[in-house]
Amino acid sequence: MAENELIPHLFRTEYRKIIAVLVKYFGFTHIEVAEDIAADTFLSASEMWGMHGLPENPVAWLYTVAKNKAKNLLQRESLFNQKIAPDIKHSTSSSSQPDIDLSDANIKDSQLQMIFAVCHPAIPAEAQIGLALRILCGFGITEIANAFLSNKETINKRLMRAKEKLRTEQVKIEMPPATEIDKRLESVLTTLYLLFNEGYYSASGDTSLREDLCFEAMRLTYLLLDNKQTNTPAVNALMALMCFQASRFKARMQEGEAVLYDDQDTALWDKELITRGERFLNLSSVGNTVSKYHFEAGIAYWHTIKTDSPDKWEHILQLYNNLLIVEYSPIAALNRTYALAKANSKQEAITEAEKLKLENNHLYHALLGELYTGINNTEAKMHFNKALQLALSSSDKKIITKKIEDIPAKN
Amino acid sequence: MKDFLLIFRSDYNRTADFSAEEAQAMTKRWMDWIGSIAAQNKLKDRGNRLENAGKVLQPNNVITDGPYTEVKEAIGGYSIITADSLEEAVELAKGCPVFSQGGKVEVRPIGILP
């Protein structure tokens, strides 16, 4: 790795670890202090390394400097001592030597506990994702703003409010009690699922940023799998889903243009990720619990088999039926209807589609356009045109325009 | 929006001698039908099926074995849906696969207890 890429890279991988340990040490009340120390550590690194060259072990260097900065702050500032020291529960003795533990084990524990803290049910979902990106993934404000197609001010405000909420709710950085883990894990999984989808389906044109979002979601999910208490069937199912979806990264974008599933080159699918997904899917099938992630992972699994067969679509249809029974969403309803056309008949799917009453959704009209193509091309064109009017992103518009062009002129 | 209980009544004896293929086909029809209601965001609770056993209690401590196996219209299961009106609920119930077994669906508005 080139030297000028090293610091941004380390920032991405180490900032979040330092933050997790420091915030756990200082408490959320003083989260800004932790953020300052971590940011300051990287500032020192870029100054020192620029002048004196790279240290032998850059990561260890960062940890030592972060630790020293924290210690200095604790010792020097009397105000700090009076105000923050009482909040610090983990100092082992009354001695002034704080024990900031940047060992692998403590980093892992702190990050896992931090996931639970950030995904606390008291924090609004949108803020959870922002916080997760900032604190758990070390994303910059600009990157978060780009991912959300928002601006820095809005994101800053959102993060401020979320941090305030962490303080007022007195959210602790600790593992939830064993009896609450399943319940709390649900909201953690929702956040990781949304984080992944933010990357996978975002309208943002920045493909590498979007993939980063997905891989961060996977990394955090992996942290859950790495701990016995949180390695549950639902977490394995979510991981399987993410692996299957991520396997198509290279195939779904070509030269900045979205490539639809049917047109994708399967040679570009990541076979290793598919195999990993299958392994997680197998691991998810123990016990009696079935989550929505199980159904979604099942659907994603069948999509890793490109060849159409009645069997494939029958499985997908039943998985969508089950998914909708657990939780309704317009997108699942639309996809279910598409599967219905493939498994049963287009005619039945048209009847069912018209019951969905999603007139303001461009995907609804795109689906009807698709179903009517070849049956009633005038009707198909009408729906595609409506879809075109309602679509927001330019890549959606391009795809719909292409569909209209492909309709045979004569019915 | 109001909740409606759908009560499925049919003859247990008819379904009892389904072949494996028939049973599988029937399951698919039920799943497609309930999935259709769920896709319209009108499913409140998929409900459950009732087992073919039970007791009936009557006054004076008279307890009999459930007469279900003899009755042509035993309750086989239930679901709860949401709809704007009884008419809409009836409309949703129309595709129920129980009719192909000669069964019936009872649609009952649920009055919420205070």
Side-chain angles (χ1 to χ4, degrees), chain A residues 43-58:
Chain A
L43 196 67
S44 302
S46 67
E47 282 171 10
M48 294 295 286
W49 300 359
M51 276 191 291
H52 305 289
L54 283 184
E56 210 166 289
N57 184 341

Side-chain angles (χ1 to χ4, degrees), chain A residues 314 317-318 321-322 324-325 328 333 336 340 344 348 352 355-356, chain B residues 27-28 31-43 46:
Chain A
E314 181 54 31
L317 172 62
Q318 294 314 329
N321 282 338
N322 277 300
L324 282 158
I325 289 168
Y328 169 82
R336 177 221 178 237
L340 196 67
N344 295 4
E348 186 181 342
E352 285 298 312
K355 292 180 187 167
L356 299 182
Chain B
T27 304
K28 171 176 165 55
M31 283 305 295
D32 285 356
W33 174 66
I34 213 85
S36 161
I37 295 174
Q40 297 170 61
N41 202 12
K42 304 273 182 193
L43 185 70
R46 186 235 300 249

Side-chain angles (χ1 to χ4, degrees), chain B residues 6-110:
Chain B
L6 304 185
I7 304 159
F8 311 121
R9 294 178 182 275
S10 65
D11 181 353
Y12 269 114
N13 293 323
R14 276 178 78 140
T15 46
D17 22 272
F18 268 1
S19 70
E21 288 79 30
E22 282 173 318
Q24 202 189 350
M26 193 44 86
T27 304
K28 171 176 165 55
R29 295 183 62 183
W30 276 96
M31 283 305 295
D32 285 356
W33 174 66
I34 213 85
S36 161
I37 295 174
Q40 297 170 61
N41 202 12
K42 304 273 182 193
L43 185 70
K44 175 82 176 243
D45 182 345
R46 186 235 300 249
N48 280 300
R49 62 177 74 167
L50 300 184
E51 285 178 20
N52 185 15
K55 300 270 184 194
V56 175
L57 280 69
Q58 292 172 61
N60 305 319
N61 206 21
V62 177
I63 301 176
T64 53
D65 280 341
Y68 314 108
T69 43
E70 292 136 39
V71 171
K72 294 265 181 284
E73 292 180 3
I75 298 176
Y78 63 92
S79 295
I80 298 173
I81 61 171
T82 54
D84 290 326
S85 62
L86 181 56
E87 287 67 35
E88 193 197 353
V90 167
E91 205 54 46
L92 287 165
K94 275 186 182 168
C96 183
V98 81
F99 302 124
S100 68
Q101 295 160 244
K104 291 180 177 178
V105 180
E106 200 172 311
V107 184
R108 305 286 302 271
I110 296 177

Side-chain angles (χ1 to χ4, degrees), chain A residues 30-141:
Chain A
H30 310 288
I31 183 168
E32 277 86 6
V33 173
E35 286 184 300
D36 283 348
I37 293 173
D40 213 29
T41 300
F42 281 91
L43 196 67
S44 302
S46 67
E47 282 171 10
M48 294 295 286
W49 300 359
M51 276 191 291
H52 305 289
L54 283 184
E56 210 166 289
N57 184 341
V59 174
W61 189 99
L62 289 171
Y63 289 178
T64 310
V65 170
K67 225 186 268 190
N68 287 339
K69 282 187 192 290
K71 276 184 196 167
N72 288 344
L73 195 68
L74 284 167
Q75 284 165 355
R76 244 190 356 245
E77 310 234 342
S78 61
L79 183 103
F80 195 91
N81 276 323
Q82 286 156 18
K83 284 203 165 171
I84 300 184
D87 291 338
I88 299 173
K89 282 199 282 179
H90 297 272
S91 57
T92 40
S93 67
S94 54
S95 86
S96 57
Q97 279 301 311
D99 175 31
I100 295 170
D101 177 5
L102 277 156
S103 65
D104 274 356
N106 193 47
I107 286 174
K108 244 187 211 169
D109 289 351
S110 303
Q111 283 192 296
L112 189 61
Q113 293 164 8
M114 192 67 111
I115 295 180
F116 276 99
V118 164
C119 303
H120 193 274
I123 319 287
E126 210 177 31
Q128 286 186 5
I129 300 176
L131 269 184
L133 285 173
R134 184 81 190 117
I135 301 179
L136 298 172
C137 311
F139 274 46
I141 303 294

